Amino acid sequence: MPKSKVRKKTDYTVNPASRIPVKVKGGPSPVWYVTIMLGFMLAGLAWLLVYYLGSDHIEWMANLNAWNFLIGFGLMVIGLIMTMRWR
């Protein structure tokens, strides 16, 4: 059986331009930003828990029906969107 040609491989060298760190505008997020971000997520979770456990006893919440899901998940989504700007 004939022998296949051996291809010469080039040595891998690290591109020095890729080793330069990227500068991020601004510094770390303030403590109040993280607090508000987590507050939105926990408020959405609390809204859904209260809806599931106590909507029979809270008349105005029972009248909202499926809008409770929009409110609860909406609060959590606001918190998740805030995580994109968190440093």
Side-chain angles (χ1 to χ4, degrees):
M1 180 168 259
K3 190 174 181 182
S4 63
K5 293 181 180 179
V6 177
R7 296 180 184 157
K8 186 176 181 181
K9 295 182 181 180
T10 58
D11 292 336
Y12 177 74
T13 57
V14 178
N15 186 359
S18 67
R19 307 273 301 166
I20 298 172
V22 177
K23 293 195 176 192
V24 179
K25 293 180 181 178
S29 297
V31 175
W32 61 265
Y33 188 84
V34 177
T35 305
I36 292 174
M37 175 183 70
L38 292 174
F40 271 119
M41 288 189 259
L42 290 175
L45 179 64
W47 186 280
L48 291 175
L49 284 174
V50 169
Y51 170 64
Y52 273 118
L53 298 176
S55 66
D56 298 336
H57 304 292
I58 305 171
E59 185 179 335
W60 61 271
M61 190 175 262
N63 291 339
L64 289 175
N65 292 328
W67 286 98
N68 286 301
F69 294 113
L70 179 69
I71 294 168
F73 285 118
L75 289 170
M76 287 191 280
V77 166
I78 290 170
L80 288 173
I81 289 173
M82 288 178 73
T83 61
M84 288 190 260
R85 296 190 50 91
W86 178 38
R87 300 194 198 293

